[in-house]
Amino acid sequence: MAVGMVLWAINGAAARVASTQGTWPKAKLATILTYLFLKEIAGTVLLFPSLSRSILIYSSLPSHSNEIGHSLTIVSKRRSLSLFHALLPWVRAFKVSVSRNVPYGRATRNMVDVYVPGTVPTEAGLQKLPVVMFVHGGSWASGSKELFAHLGAYLAHRGVITVLVQYTLFPEVLALQQVQEVSQALTWIFDNIEHYGGDSQRVTLMGHSAGAHLCALSIWERFKTAHLLKQRLALEAISCSSEPLPEIDGDYLYRPDMRQPHNFIGLAGVYDISEHLKHEQKRGVDSMSSMTSAMGGEHLFETMSPVHLFHNFMADGSAIYLRAKHNAMSSSVDDVALDDNASCSEVTDAGVSMSNGIEGNGGKYVERSEDIDVGSCPAHGVMQGMHHTLLPYCTLFCSSSDTVVRPDTSIAFHSALKELGHRSELIVFENLEHSNFIVLDGPLPDQASLRRHILQIVQP
């Protein structure tokens, strides 16, 4: 799949050169694109130690299996690669077992690896373990769950059942199909993770880069379905006219799972496709990128961007509420409470505060929606009265040193969630590069802070 991504980049660059007029402009552009291409390849090569470690860890971990209704046991053990552990300190020996290639869907790549701590609950009454579902990035066109074994083993070693998910890659499918597969994997976890000793009520959905984008859209799809159903019931209670109520796409009725994870963690995610394209153009890699084609074309950018989806949903939902409210009042009908938890609050702008007293904060910034002043606004009440049960708690990590995915897209998504009145936390590091976010046991101070934050989120 990595080869396919390289070929896509080469073909895109070649097409851009071919469309350029003039010999000298063609040669100049070809030189620039070759330099950028080799630079991107060099960045991938620098990941070789981390990827190699994952392959070695994946190969050396004992297999784990479970039978529904029975105690969890490690049924077979692979011989530990003691030689590698001795010669290569960065290949750690983890007290973890892994259940490999467990299918969650019908597609060939619809498989997960489940990393289970060495000690798991095996008796009724014992507290079940927290769960992390991790979705890899790779520009929607590359990546494999085995390449992130170090992340799965690290979290499982610390008592968190970790499920590494892989999905069908572009160009075989578009990103929208990938979103559906990620959502399907999430449903599989809710239905099956207790057989591994996991707590289905403490599931954290975590994605990196393009994987964070797919996770955010998966959350959006579930949120929209649940909210439209709930909003329809609420508006029926106050609408006494022929005001049309929001329609629910029939397709959603055949995908009724609206369960949300307890937390969402976005690691250097892409949440605004249009803005990210501008960044790719600024870097000169847009012709080699698969993003535009993976989204289905530029005309679909807004519908594939969580930032725009939540912003537009807020505006559309408020308008529907106000029209129904006006009709109800004009009919001299008493106001009816929309929801037991409803609140009429409006999120206002908030400053960004410096984080202190956190291990290795490295000058990072932290912003929480709870720090924001709240005022009165009926138009937002219908939205904010429902979000706590329809969306997970969101924590967005990004870095000002990330040249691949700029922090602006995470900042914009955090702002959209604040506008919705949702609980969200934004943490901006200063010294993390794009690939540093997936090496949780890395030596950098900001990596130490990152892993501390993640463990605090998944192990409250």
Side-chain angles (χ1 to χ4, degrees), residues 203-419:
V203 175
T204 296
L205 180 60
M206 182 166 71
H208 175 245
S209 193
H213 168 259
L214 298 177
C215 289
L217 285 180
S218 178
I219 290 172
W220 157 257
E221 294 291 345
R222 291 168 179 251
F223 168 78
K224 182 176 70 170
T225 304
H227 199 294
L228 287 176
L229 287 171
K230 197 168 184 178
Q231 186 190 59
R232 190 176 182 89
L233 295 175
L235 293 180
E236 284 176 349
I238 63 172
S239 180
C240 297
S241 69
S242 58
E243 174 70 23
L245 298 177
E247 296 183 359
I248 300 173
D249 189 340
D251 184 43
Y252 288 104
L253 300 179
Y254 296 97
R255 294 186 284 115
D257 190 2
M258 295 173 284
R259 292 171 293 178
Q260 293 279 23
H262 188 65
N263 302 296
F264 166 60
I265 297 176
L267 303 174
V270 180
Y271 308 111
D272 190 327
I273 301 300
S274 297
E275 291 302 314
H276 188 65
L277 177 61
K278 293 178 183 177
H279 179 59
E280 287 188 340
Q281 292 170 338
K282 185 177 180 180
R283 294 173 60 208
V285 301
D286 53 298
S287 61
M288 298 181 286
S289 171
S290 59
M291 182 184 72
T292 298
S293 298
M295 297 303 118
E298 290 191 38
H299 65 289
L300 294 177
F301 276 7
E302 188 166 309
T303 61
M304 295 299 293
S305 298
V307 169
H308 293 284
L309 290 171
F310 279 103
H311 270 309
N312 294 342
F313 179 84
M314 188 69 191
D316 294 344
S318 295
I320 291 172
Y321 169 77
L322 288 174
R323 289 199 304 269
K325 185 75 171 178
H326 173 75
N327 291 336
M329 293 179 66
S330 62
S331 301
S332 301
V333 178
D334 293 336
D335 293 347
V336 180
L338 297 182
D339 189 271
D340 292 339
N341 298 319
S343 61
C344 296
S345 57
E346 179 180 16
V347 176
T348 60
D349 293 335
V352 181
S353 58
M354 178 70 76
S355 170
N356 295 312
I358 300 178
E359 175 189 354
N361 70 55
K364 69 175 174 300
Y365 295 93
V366 178
E367 182 176 343
R368 297 178 176 85
S369 58
E370 289 87 347
D371 299 331
I372 300 168
D373 294 332
V374 177
S376 173
C377 178
H380 289 69
V382 66
M383 303 296 161
Q384 297 175 344
M386 304 175 185
H387 74 275
H388 289 293
T389 57
L390 303 184
L391 280 173
Y393 185 96
C394 298
T395 306
L396 308 178
F397 295 97
C398 55
S399 174
S400 56
S401 297
D402 189 346
T403 59
V404 178
V405 178
R406 297 299 299 159
D408 310 67
T409 185
S410 293
I411 295 171
F413 188 32
H414 175 65
S415 177
L417 292 171
K418 288 195 308 180
E419 183 180 353

Side-chain angles (χ1 to χ4, degrees), residues 77-131:
K77 288 189 176 181
R78 299 186 177 191
R79 181 172 296 180
S80 176
L81 301 181
S82 57
L83 177 62
F84 286 108
H85 293 159
L87 297 179
L88 304 175
W90 43 272
V91 180
R92 299 180 55 182
F94 294 100
K95 296 180 179 179
V96 173
S97 61
V98 57
S99 183
R100 297 172 173 84
N101 300 324
V102 182
Y104 68 84
R106 295 182 178 181
T108 302
R109 284 179 55 89
N110 287 174
M111 293 183 294
V112 299
D113 291 334
V114 184
Y115 290 75
V116 183
T119 302
V120 297
T122 58
E123 299 178 4
L126 292 182
Q127 183 178 7
K128 295 184 180 296
L129 299 177
V131 181

Side-chain angles (χ1 to χ4, degrees), residues 8 138-142 167-179 210 213-214 217 273 289-298 300-301 304:
W8 179 274
S139 299
W140 301 272
S142 67
Y167 47 88
T168 308
L169 301 174
F170 176 82
E172 186 175 347
V173 300
L174 298 180
L176 183 59
Q177 175 63 33
Q178 295 173 344
V179 173
H213 168 259
L214 298 177
L217 285 180
I273 301 300
S289 171
S290 59
M291 182 184 72
T292 298
S293 298
M295 297 303 118
E298 290 191 38
L300 294 177
F301 276 7
M304 295 299 293

Side-chain angles (χ1 to χ4, degrees), residues 33-46 283 403:
L33 292 179
T34 299
Y35 166 75
L36 292 172
F37 177 76
L38 293 177
K39 184 178 178 181
E40 294 295 312
I41 292 295
T44 303
V45 171
L46 293 177
R283 294 173 60 208
T403 59

